mmCIF file with all atom_site columns, all heavy atoms in Angstrom:
data_model
loop_
_atom_site.group_PDB
_atom_site.id
_atom_site.type_symbol
_atom_site.label_atom_id
_atom_site.label_alt_id
_atom_site.label_comp_id
_atom_site.label_asym_id
_atom_site.label_entity_id
_atom_site.label_seq_id
_atom_site.pdbx_PDB_ins_code
_atom_site.Cartn_x
_atom_site.Cartn_y
_atom_site.Cartn_z
_atom_site.occupancy
_atom_site.B_iso_or_equiv
_atom_site.pdbx_formal_charge
_atom_site.auth_seq_id
_atom_site.auth_comp_id
_atom_site.auth_asym_id
_atom_site.auth_atom_id
_atom_site.pdbx_PDB_model_num
ATOM 1   N N   . SER K 1 1  ? -62.512 -90.043  262.915 1.00 98.00 ? 1  SER K N   1
ATOM 2   C CA  . SER K 1 1  ? -61.354 -89.822  262.053 1.00 98.00 ? 1  SER K CA  1
ATOM 3   C C   . SER K 1 1  ? -61.298 -90.859  260.952 1.00 98.00 ? 1  SER K C   1
ATOM 4   O O   . SER K 1 1  ? -61.895 -91.934  261.054 1.00 98.00 ? 1  SER K O   1
ATOM 5   C CB  . SER K 1 1  ? -60.068 -89.882  262.878 1.00 98.00 ? 1  SER K CB  1
ATOM 6   O OG  . SER K 1 1  ? -60.044 -88.827  263.803 1.00 98.00 ? 1  SER K OG  1
ATOM 7   N N   . LEU K 1 2  ? -60.543 -90.536  259.930 1.00 98.00 ? 2  LEU K N   1
ATOM 8   C CA  . LEU K 1 2  ? -60.406 -91.404  258.768 1.00 98.00 ? 2  LEU K CA  1
ATOM 9   C C   . LEU K 1 2  ? -60.002 -92.812  259.172 1.00 98.00 ? 2  LEU K C   1
ATOM 10  O O   . LEU K 1 2  ? -59.047 -93.003  259.921 1.00 98.00 ? 2  LEU K O   1
ATOM 11  C CB  . LEU K 1 2  ? -59.361 -90.817  257.812 1.00 98.00 ? 2  LEU K CB  1
ATOM 12  C CG  . LEU K 1 2  ? -59.215 -91.508  256.470 1.00 98.00 ? 2  LEU K CG  1
ATOM 13  C CD1 . LEU K 1 2  ? -60.527 -91.463  255.687 1.00 98.00 ? 2  LEU K CD1 1
ATOM 14  C CD2 . LEU K 1 2  ? -58.100 -90.848  255.671 1.00 98.00 ? 2  LEU K CD2 1
ATOM 15  N N   . ASP K 1 3  ? -60.768 -93.777  258.684 1.00 97.00 ? 3  ASP K N   1
ATOM 16  C CA  . ASP K 1 3  ? -60.531 -95.175  259.027 1.00 97.00 ? 3  ASP K CA  1
ATOM 17  C C   . ASP K 1 3  ? -61.227 -96.053  257.983 1.00 97.00 ? 3  ASP K C   1
ATOM 18  O O   . ASP K 1 3  ? -62.076 -95.581  257.227 1.00 97.00 ? 3  ASP K O   1
ATOM 19  C CB  . ASP K 1 3  ? -61.104 -95.469  260.419 1.00 97.00 ? 3  ASP K CB  1
ATOM 20  C CG  . ASP K 1 3  ? -60.500 -96.714  261.060 1.00 97.00 ? 3  ASP K CG  1
ATOM 21  O OD1 . ASP K 1 3  ? -59.543 -97.290  260.499 1.00 97.00 ? 3  ASP K OD1 1
ATOM 22  O OD2 . ASP K 1 3  ? -60.993 -97.120  262.130 1.00 97.00 ? 3  ASP K OD2 1
ATOM 23  N N   . ASN K 1 4  ? -60.877 -97.331  257.980 1.00 96.00 ? 4  ASN K N   1
ATOM 24  C CA  . ASN K 1 4  ? -61.588 -98.305  257.163 1.00 96.00 ? 4  ASN K CA  1
ATOM 25  C C   . ASN K 1 4  ? -62.681 -98.932  258.019 1.00 96.00 ? 4  ASN K C   1
ATOM 26  O O   . ASN K 1 4  ? -62.412 -99.401  259.129 1.00 96.00 ? 4  ASN K O   1
ATOM 27  C CB  . ASN K 1 4  ? -60.630 -99.379  256.645 1.00 96.00 ? 4  ASN K CB  1
ATOM 28  C CG  . ASN K 1 4  ? -59.679 -98.828  255.603 1.00 96.00 ? 4  ASN K CG  1
ATOM 29  O OD1 . ASN K 1 4  ? -60.042 -97.987  254.793 1.00 96.00 ? 4  ASN K OD1 1
ATOM 30  N ND2 . ASN K 1 4  ? -58.448 -99.287  255.628 1.00 96.00 ? 4  ASN K ND2 1
ATOM 31  N N   . THR K 1 5  ? -63.893 -98.938  257.512 1.00 95.00 ? 5  THR K N   1
ATOM 32  C CA  . THR K 1 5  ? -65.038 -99.433  258.270 1.00 95.00 ? 5  THR K CA  1
ATOM 33  C C   . THR K 1 5  ? -65.193 -100.945 258.113 1.00 95.00 ? 5  THR K C   1
ATOM 34  O O   . THR K 1 5  ? -64.588 -101.552 257.233 1.00 95.00 ? 5  THR K O   1
ATOM 35  C CB  . THR K 1 5  ? -66.331 -98.769  257.787 1.00 95.00 ? 5  THR K CB  1
ATOM 36  O OG1 . THR K 1 5  ? -66.597 -99.211  256.452 1.00 95.00 ? 5  THR K OG1 1
ATOM 37  C CG2 . THR K 1 5  ? -66.231 -97.250  257.833 1.00 95.00 ? 5  THR K CG2 1
ATOM 38  N N   . ASP K 1 6  ? -66.056 -101.528 258.928 1.00 94.00 ? 6  ASP K N   1
ATOM 39  C CA  . ASP K 1 6  ? -66.342 -102.952 258.816 1.00 94.00 ? 6  ASP K CA  1
ATOM 40  C C   . ASP K 1 6  ? -67.226 -103.265 257.611 1.00 94.00 ? 6  ASP K C   1
ATOM 41  O O   . ASP K 1 6  ? -67.466 -104.417 257.296 1.00 94.00 ? 6  ASP K O   1
ATOM 42  C CB  . ASP K 1 6  ? -66.958 -103.497 260.112 1.00 94.00 ? 6  ASP K CB  1
ATOM 43  C CG  . ASP K 1 6  ? -68.246 -102.805 260.512 1.00 94.00 ? 6  ASP K CG  1
ATOM 44  O OD1 . ASP K 1 6  ? -68.644 -101.799 259.861 1.00 94.00 ? 6  ASP K OD1 1
ATOM 45  O OD2 . ASP K 1 6  ? -68.865 -103.254 261.492 1.00 94.00 ? 6  ASP K OD2 1
ATOM 46  N N   . TYR K 1 7  ? -67.707 -102.252 256.905 1.00 94.00 ? 7  TYR K N   1
ATOM 47  C CA  . TYR K 1 7  ? -68.464 -102.460 255.668 1.00 94.00 ? 7  TYR K CA  1
ATOM 48  C C   . TYR K 1 7  ? -67.647 -102.029 254.448 1.00 94.00 ? 7  TYR K C   1
ATOM 49  O O   . TYR K 1 7  ? -68.185 -101.758 253.385 1.00 94.00 ? 7  TYR K O   1
ATOM 50  C CB  . TYR K 1 7  ? -69.836 -101.774 255.704 1.00 94.00 ? 7  TYR K CB  1
ATOM 51  C CG  . TYR K 1 7  ? -69.830 -100.349 256.229 1.00 94.00 ? 7  TYR K CG  1
ATOM 52  C CD1 . TYR K 1 7  ? -69.637 -99.267  255.378 1.00 94.00 ? 7  TYR K CD1 1
ATOM 53  C CD2 . TYR K 1 7  ? -70.021 -100.113 257.578 1.00 94.00 ? 7  TYR K CD2 1
ATOM 54  C CE1 . TYR K 1 7  ? -69.634 -97.982  255.864 1.00 94.00 ? 7  TYR K CE1 1
ATOM 55  C CE2 . TYR K 1 7  ? -70.025 -98.813  258.069 1.00 94.00 ? 7  TYR K CE2 1
ATOM 56  C CZ  . TYR K 1 7  ? -69.831 -97.746  257.207 1.00 94.00 ? 7  TYR K CZ  1
ATOM 57  O OH  . TYR K 1 7  ? -69.826 -96.461  257.697 1.00 94.00 ? 7  TYR K OH  1
ATOM 58  N N   . ASN K 1 8  ? -66.326 -101.968 254.641 1.00 95.00 ? 8  ASN K N   1
ATOM 59  C CA  . ASN K 1 8  ? -65.363 -101.806 253.550 1.00 95.00 ? 8  ASN K CA  1
ATOM 60  C C   . ASN K 1 8  ? -65.372 -100.421 252.909 1.00 95.00 ? 8  ASN K C   1
ATOM 61  O O   . ASN K 1 8  ? -65.176 -100.294 251.698 1.00 95.00 ? 8  ASN K O   1
ATOM 62  C CB  . ASN K 1 8  ? -65.559 -102.895 252.492 1.00 95.00 ? 8  ASN K CB  1
ATOM 63  C CG  . ASN K 1 8  ? -64.242 -103.388 251.951 1.00 95.00 ? 8  ASN K CG  1
ATOM 64  O OD1 . ASN K 1 8  ? -63.218 -103.297 252.615 1.00 95.00 ? 8  ASN K OD1 1
ATOM 65  N ND2 . ASN K 1 8  ? -64.258 -103.903 250.737 1.00 95.00 ? 8  ASN K ND2 1
ATOM 66  N N   . ASN K 1 9  ? -65.604 -99.387  253.690 1.00 95.00 ? 9  ASN K N   1
ATOM 67  C CA  . ASN K 1 9  ? -65.468 -98.017  253.226 1.00 95.00 ? 9  ASN K CA  1
ATOM 68  C C   . ASN K 1 9  ? -64.299 -97.365  253.943 1.00 95.00 ? 9  ASN K C   1
ATOM 69  O O   . ASN K 1 9  ? -64.042 -97.655  255.112 1.00 95.00 ? 9  ASN K O   1
ATOM 70  C CB  . ASN K 1 9  ? -66.719 -97.188  253.520 1.00 95.00 ? 9  ASN K CB  1
ATOM 71  C CG  . ASN K 1 9  ? -67.825 -97.425  252.533 1.00 95.00 ? 9  ASN K CG  1
ATOM 72  O OD1 . ASN K 1 9  ? -67.770 -98.350  251.733 1.00 95.00 ? 9  ASN K OD1 1
ATOM 73  N ND2 . ASN K 1 9  ? -68.838 -96.595  252.592 1.00 95.00 ? 9  ASN K ND2 1
ATOM 74  N N   . LYS K 1 10 ? -63.604 -96.484  253.243 1.00 97.00 ? 10 LYS K N   1
ATOM 75  C CA  . LYS K 1 10 ? -62.586 -95.625  253.838 1.00 97.00 ? 10 LYS K CA  1
ATOM 76  C C   . LYS K 1 10 ? -63.270 -94.276  254.015 1.00 97.00 ? 10 LYS K C   1
ATOM 77  O O   . LYS K 1 10 ? -63.671 -93.649  253.020 1.00 97.00 ? 10 LYS K O   1
ATOM 78  C CB  . LYS K 1 10 ? -61.374 -95.509  252.913 1.00 97.00 ? 10 LYS K CB  1
ATOM 79  C CG  . LYS K 1 10 ? -60.262 -94.644  253.461 1.00 97.00 ? 10 LYS K CG  1
ATOM 80  C CD  . LYS K 1 10 ? -59.083 -94.621  252.489 1.00 97.00 ? 10 LYS K CD  1
ATOM 81  C CE  . LYS K 1 10 ? -57.977 -93.732  253.011 1.00 97.00 ? 10 LYS K CE  1
ATOM 82  N NZ  . LYS K 1 10 ? -56.876 -93.638  252.027 1.00 97.00 ? 10 LYS K NZ  1
ATOM 83  N N   . GLU K 1 11 ? -63.462 -93.860  255.281 1.00 97.00 ? 11 GLU K N   1
ATOM 84  C CA  . GLU K 1 11 ? -64.279 -92.675  255.507 1.00 97.00 ? 11 GLU K CA  1
ATOM 85  C C   . GLU K 1 11 ? -63.924 -91.957  256.803 1.00 97.00 ? 11 GLU K C   1
ATOM 86  O O   . GLU K 1 11 ? -63.271 -92.516  257.687 1.00 97.00 ? 11 GLU K O   1
ATOM 87  C CB  . GLU K 1 11 ? -65.765 -93.042  255.534 1.00 97.00 ? 11 GLU K CB  1
ATOM 88  C CG  . GLU K 1 11 ? -66.154 -93.884  256.739 1.00 97.00 ? 11 GLU K CG  1
ATOM 89  C CD  . GLU K 1 11 ? -67.604 -94.330  256.732 1.00 97.00 ? 11 GLU K CD  1
ATOM 90  O OE1 . GLU K 1 11 ? -68.156 -94.596  255.641 1.00 97.00 ? 11 GLU K OE1 1
ATOM 91  O OE2 . GLU K 1 11 ? -68.182 -94.422  257.817 1.00 97.00 ? 11 GLU K OE2 1
ATOM 92  N N   . PHE K 1 12 ? -64.382 -90.706  256.873 1.00 98.00 ? 12 PHE K N   1
ATOM 93  C CA  . PHE K 1 12 ? -64.375 -89.942  258.113 1.00 98.00 ? 12 PHE K CA  1
ATOM 94  C C   . PHE K 1 12 ? -65.716 -89.232  258.224 1.00 98.00 ? 12 PHE K C   1
ATOM 95  O O   . PHE K 1 12 ? -66.468 -89.142  257.246 1.00 98.00 ? 12 PHE K O   1
ATOM 96  C CB  . PHE K 1 12 ? -63.187 -88.959  258.180 1.00 98.00 ? 12 PHE K CB  1
ATOM 97  C CG  . PHE K 1 12 ? -63.269 -87.791  257.240 1.00 98.00 ? 12 PHE K CG  1
ATOM 98  C CD1 . PHE K 1 12 ? -63.799 -86.572  257.659 1.00 98.00 ? 12 PHE K CD1 1
ATOM 99  C CD2 . PHE K 1 12 ? -62.801 -87.892  255.937 1.00 98.00 ? 12 PHE K CD2 1
ATOM 100 C CE1 . PHE K 1 12 ? -63.857 -85.486  256.789 1.00 98.00 ? 12 PHE K CE1 1
ATOM 101 C CE2 . PHE K 1 12 ? -62.850 -86.820  255.067 1.00 98.00 ? 12 PHE K CE2 1
ATOM 102 C CZ  . PHE K 1 12 ? -63.384 -85.607  255.492 1.00 98.00 ? 12 PHE K CZ  1
ATOM 103 N N   . VAL K 1 13 ? -66.034 -88.754  259.422 1.00 98.00 ? 13 VAL K N   1
ATOM 104 C CA  . VAL K 1 13 ? -67.347 -88.164  259.673 1.00 98.00 ? 13 VAL K CA  1
ATOM 105 C C   . VAL K 1 13 ? -67.175 -86.842  260.397 1.00 98.00 ? 13 VAL K C   1
ATOM 106 O O   . VAL K 1 13 ? -66.402 -86.735  261.352 1.00 98.00 ? 13 VAL K O   1
ATOM 107 C CB  . VAL K 1 13 ? -68.223 -89.118  260.526 1.00 98.00 ? 13 VAL K CB  1
ATOM 108 C CG1 . VAL K 1 13 ? -69.610 -88.524  260.752 1.00 98.00 ? 13 VAL K CG1 1
ATOM 109 C CG2 . VAL K 1 13 ? -68.319 -90.490  259.872 1.00 98.00 ? 13 VAL K CG2 1
ATOM 110 N N   . ILE K 1 14 ? -67.918 -85.833  259.939 1.00 98.00 ? 14 ILE K N   1
ATOM 111 C CA  . ILE K 1 14 ? -67.916 -84.530  260.605 1.00 98.00 ? 14 ILE K CA  1
ATOM 112 C C   . ILE K 1 14 ? -69.297 -84.262  261.200 1.00 98.00 ? 14 ILE K C   1
ATOM 113 O O   . ILE K 1 14 ? -70.282 -84.917  260.849 1.00 98.00 ? 14 ILE K O   1
ATOM 114 C CB  . ILE K 1 14 ? -67.521 -83.391  259.639 1.00 98.00 ? 14 ILE K CB  1
ATOM 115 C CG1 . ILE K 1 14 ? -68.560 -83.185  258.522 1.00 98.00 ? 14 ILE K CG1 1
ATOM 116 C CG2 . ILE K 1 14 ? -66.162 -83.634  259.027 1.00 98.00 ? 14 ILE K CG2 1
ATOM 117 C CD1 . ILE K 1 14 ? -69.459 -82.005  258.722 1.00 98.00 ? 14 ILE K CD1 1
ATOM 118 N N   . GLU K 1 15 ? -69.333 -83.290  262.103 1.00 98.00 ? 15 GLU K N   1
ATOM 119 C CA  . GLU K 1 15 ? -70.616 -82.803  262.613 1.00 98.00 ? 15 GLU K CA  1
ATOM 120 C C   . GLU K 1 15 ? -70.768 -81.360  262.170 1.00 98.00 ? 15 GLU K C   1
ATOM 121 O O   . GLU K 1 15 ? -69.884 -80.535  262.416 1.00 98.00 ? 15 GLU K O   1
ATOM 122 C CB  . GLU K 1 15 ? -70.670 -82.895  264.133 1.00 98.00 ? 15 GLU K CB  1
ATOM 123 C CG  . GLU K 1 15 ? -72.011 -82.486  264.710 1.00 98.00 ? 15 GLU K CG  1
ATOM 124 C CD  . GLU K 1 15 ? -72.096 -82.701  266.205 1.00 98.00 ? 15 GLU K CD  1
ATOM 125 O OE1 . GLU K 1 15 ? -71.776 -83.809  266.671 1.00 98.00 ? 15 GLU K OE1 1
ATOM 126 O OE2 . GLU K 1 15 ? -72.492 -81.736  266.910 1.00 98.00 ? 15 GLU K OE2 1
ATOM 127 N N   . ASP K 1 16 ? -71.878 -81.048  261.513 1.00 98.00 ? 16 ASP K N   1
ATOM 128 C CA  . ASP K 1 16 ? -72.068 -79.677  261.038 1.00 98.00 ? 16 ASP K CA  1
ATOM 129 C C   . ASP K 1 16 ? -72.654 -78.802  262.143 1.00 98.00 ? 16 ASP K C   1
ATOM 130 O O   . ASP K 1 16 ? -72.896 -79.257  263.262 1.00 98.00 ? 16 ASP K O   1
ATOM 131 C CB  . ASP K 1 16 ? -72.879 -79.649  259.738 1.00 98.00 ? 16 ASP K CB  1
ATOM 132 C CG  . ASP K 1 16 ? -74.383 -79.769  259.910 1.00 98.00 ? 16 ASP K CG  1
ATOM 133 O OD1 . ASP K 1 16 ? -74.887 -79.921  261.041 1.00 98.00 ? 16 ASP K OD1 1
ATOM 134 O OD2 . ASP K 1 16 ? -75.086 -79.717  258.871 1.00 98.00 ? 16 ASP K OD2 1
ATOM 135 N N   . ILE K 1 17 ? -72.891 -77.560  261.822 1.00 98.00 ? 17 ILE K N   1
ATOM 136 C CA  . ILE K 1 17 ? -73.342 -76.568  262.800 1.00 98.00 ? 17 ILE K CA  1
ATOM 137 C C   . ILE K 1 17 ? -74.714 -76.899  263.387 1.00 98.00 ? 17 ILE K C   1
ATOM 138 O O   . ILE K 1 17 ? -75.051 -76.473  264.483 1.00 98.00 ? 17 ILE K O   1
ATOM 139 C CB  . ILE K 1 17 ? -73.332 -75.160  262.165 1.00 98.00 ? 17 ILE K CB  1
ATOM 140 C CG1 . ILE K 1 17 ? -73.488 -74.081  263.222 1.00 98.00 ? 17 ILE K CG1 1
ATOM 141 C CG2 . ILE K 1 17 ? -74.376 -75.060  261.067 1.00 98.00 ? 17 ILE K CG2 1
ATOM 142 C CD1 . ILE K 1 17 ? -73.216 -72.687  262.717 1.00 98.00 ? 17 ILE K CD1 1
ATOM 143 N N   . ASP K 1 18 ? -75.510 -77.703  262.672 1.00 98.00 ? 18 ASP K N   1
ATOM 144 C CA  . ASP K 1 18 ? -76.839 -78.083  263.141 1.00 98.00 ? 18 ASP K CA  1
ATOM 145 C C   . ASP K 1 18 ? -76.862 -79.453  263.818 1.00 98.00 ? 18 ASP K C   1
ATOM 146 O O   . ASP K 1 18 ? -77.921 -79.946  264.177 1.00 98.00 ? 18 ASP K O   1
ATOM 147 C CB  . ASP K 1 18 ? -77.828 -78.090  261.970 1.00 98.00 ? 18 ASP K CB  1
ATOM 148 C CG  . ASP K 1 18 ? -78.030 -76.700  261.376 1.00 98.00 ? 18 ASP K CG  1
ATOM 149 O OD1 . ASP K 1 18 ? -78.178 -75.734  262.147 1.00 98.00 ? 18 ASP K OD1 1
ATOM 150 O OD2 . ASP K 1 18 ? -78.037 -76.585  260.132 1.00 98.00 ? 18 ASP K OD2 1
ATOM 151 N N   . GLY K 1 19 ? -75.681 -80.077  263.972 1.00 98.00 ? 19 GLY K N   1
ATOM 152 C CA  . GLY K 1 19 ? -75.606 -81.378  264.636 1.00 98.00 ? 19 GLY K CA  1
ATOM 153 C C   . GLY K 1 19 ? -75.705 -82.578  263.716 1.00 98.00 ? 19 GLY K C   1
ATOM 154 O O   . GLY K 1 19 ? -75.696 -83.719  264.182 1.00 98.00 ? 19 GLY K O   1
ATOM 155 N N   . ARG K 1 20 ? -75.805 -82.350  262.408 1.00 98.00 ? 20 ARG K N   1
ATOM 156 C CA  . ARG K 1 20 ? -75.856 -83.476  261.474 1.00 98.00 ? 20 ARG K CA  1
ATOM 157 C C   . ARG K 1 20 ? -74.500 -84.150  261.398 1.00 98.00 ? 20 ARG K C   1
ATOM 158 O O   . ARG K 1 20 ? -73.470 -83.491  261.395 1.00 98.00 ? 20 ARG K O   1
ATOM 159 C CB  . ARG K 1 20 ? -76.197 -82.992  260.067 1.00 98.00 ? 20 ARG K CB  1
ATOM 160 C CG  . ARG K 1 20 ? -77.589 -82.553  259.867 1.00 98.00 ? 20 ARG K CG  1
ATOM 161 C CD  . ARG K 1 20 ? -77.797 -82.113  258.404 1.00 98.00 ? 20 ARG K CD  1
ATOM 162 N NE  . ARG K 1 20 ? -78.954 -81.262  258.336 1.00 98.00 ? 20 ARG K NE  1
ATOM 163 C CZ  . ARG K 1 20 ? -78.938 -79.950  258.552 1.00 98.00 ? 20 ARG K CZ  1
ATOM 164 N NH1 . ARG K 1 20 ? -77.824 -79.320  258.811 1.00 98.00 ? 20 ARG K NH1 1
ATOM 165 N NH2 . ARG K 1 20 ? -80.055 -79.268  258.496 1.00 98.00 ? 20 ARG K NH2 1
ATOM 166 N N   . TRP K 1 21 ? -74.489 -85.478  261.297 1.00 98.00 ? 21 TRP K N   1
ATOM 167 C CA  . TRP K 1 21 ? -73.265 -86.227  261.030 1.00 98.00 ? 21 TRP K CA  1
ATOM 168 C C   . TRP K 1 21 ? -73.226 -86.515  259.537 1.00 98.00 ? 21 TRP K C   1
ATOM 169 O O   . TRP K 1 21 ? -74.169 -87.099  258.983 1.00 98.00 ? 21 TRP K O   1
ATOM 170 C CB  . TRP K 1 21 ? -73.224 -87.515  261.830 1.00 98.00 ? 21 TRP K CB  1
ATOM 171 C CG  . TRP K 1 21 ? -72.787 -87.315  263.247 1.00 98.00 ? 21 TRP K CG  1
ATOM 172 C CD1 . TRP K 1 21 ? -72.715 -86.126  263.935 1.00 98.00 ? 21 TRP K CD1 1
ATOM 173 C CD2 . TRP K 1 21 ? -72.368 -88.324  264.149 1.00 98.00 ? 21 TRP K CD2 1
ATOM 174 N NE1 . TRP K 1 21 ? -72.272 -86.348  265.216 1.00 98.00 ? 21 TRP K NE1 1
ATOM 175 C CE2 . TRP K 1 21 ? -72.048 -87.687  265.369 1.00 98.00 ? 21 TRP K CE2 1
ATOM 176 C CE3 . TRP K 1 21 ? -72.228 -89.697  264.046 1.00 98.00 ? 21 TRP K CE3 1
ATOM 177 C CZ2 . TRP K 1 21 ? -71.595 -88.388  266.480 1.00 98.00 ? 21 TRP K CZ2 1
ATOM 178 C CZ3 . TRP K 1 21 ? -71.781 -90.394  265.153 1.00 98.00 ? 21 TRP K CZ3 1
ATOM 179 C CH2 . TRP K 1 21 ? -71.465 -89.742  266.359 1.00 98.00 ? 21 TRP K CH2 1
ATOM 180 N N   . ILE K 1 22 ? -72.116 -86.112  258.917 1.00 98.00 ? 22 ILE K N   1
ATOM 181 C CA  . ILE K 1 22 ? -71.947 -86.285  257.477 1.00 98.00 ? 22 ILE K CA  1
ATOM 182 C C   . ILE K 1 22 ? -70.696 -87.103  257.225 1.00 98.00 ? 22 ILE K C   1
ATOM 183 O O   . ILE K 1 22 ? -69.603 -86.751  257.696 1.00 98.00 ? 22 ILE K O   1
ATOM 184 C CB  . ILE K 1 22 ? -71.849 -84.925  256.761 1.00 98.00 ? 22 ILE K CB  1
ATOM 185 C CG1 . ILE K 1 22 ? -73.100 -84.106  257.061 1.00 98.00 ? 22 ILE K CG1 1
ATOM 186 C CG2 . ILE K 1 22 ? -71.652 -85.131  255.264 1.00 98.00 ? 22 ILE K CG2 1
ATOM 187 C CD1 . ILE K 1 22 ? -73.023 -82.669  256.606 1.00 98.00 ? 22 ILE K CD1 1
ATOM 188 N N   . GLY K 1 23 ? -70.856 -88.229  256.515 1.00 97.00 ? 23 GLY K N   1
ATOM 189 C CA  . GLY K 1 23 ? -69.745 -89.093  256.165 1.00 97.00 ? 23 GLY K CA  1
ATOM 190 C C   . GLY K 1 23 ? -69.135 -88.688  254.841 1.00 97.00 ? 23 GLY K C   1
ATOM 191 O O   . GLY K 1 23 ? -69.844 -88.263  253.924 1.00 97.00 ? 23 GLY K O   1
ATOM 192 N N   . PHE K 1 24 ? -67.817 -88.810  254.767 1.00 97.00 ? 24 PHE K N   1
ATOM 193 C CA  . PHE K 1 24 ? -67.064 -88.562  253.529 1.00 97.00 ? 24 PHE K CA  1
ATOM 194 C C   . PHE K 1 24 ? -66.220 -89.782  253.275 1.00 97.00 ? 24 PHE K C   1
ATOM 195 O O   . PHE K 1 24 ? -65.320 -90.098  254.074 1.00 97.00 ? 24 PHE K O   1
ATOM 196 C CB  . PHE K 1 24 ? -66.163 -87.325  253.667 1.00 97.00 ? 24 PHE K CB  1
ATOM 197 C CG  . PHE K 1 24 ? -66.921 -86.046  253.841 1.00 97.00 ? 24 PHE K CG  1
ATOM 198 C CD1 . PHE K 1 24 ? -67.337 -85.638  255.111 1.00 97.00 ? 24 PHE K CD1 1
ATOM 199 C CD2 . PHE K 1 24 ? -67.232 -85.249  252.748 1.00 97.00 ? 24 PHE K CD2 1
ATOM 200 C CE1 . PHE K 1 24 ? -68.039 -84.452  255.276 1.00 97.00 ? 24 PHE K CE1 1
ATOM 201 C CE2 . PHE K 1 24 ? -67.932 -84.070  252.908 1.00 97.00 ? 24 PHE K CE2 1
ATOM 202 C CZ  . PHE K 1 24 ? -68.342 -83.667  254.177 1.00 97.00 ? 24 PHE K CZ  1
#
């Protein structure tokens, strides 16, 4: 879920139908 990372990004991550993790 949407959060601030330890590398200073505000992001969330989804998993697509093929199992890929994609960050936004």
Side-chain angles (χ1 to χ4, degrees):
S1 295
L2 187 60
D3 200 7
N4 290 323
T5 67
D6 59 354
Y7 45 89
N8 219 25
N9 280 11
K10 181 178 179 184
E11 68 184 35
F12 70 94
V13 182
I14 66 103
E15 184 175 309
D16 81 358
I17 193 169
D18 295 316
R20 288 181 201 86
W21 279 15
I22 302 170
F24 295 86

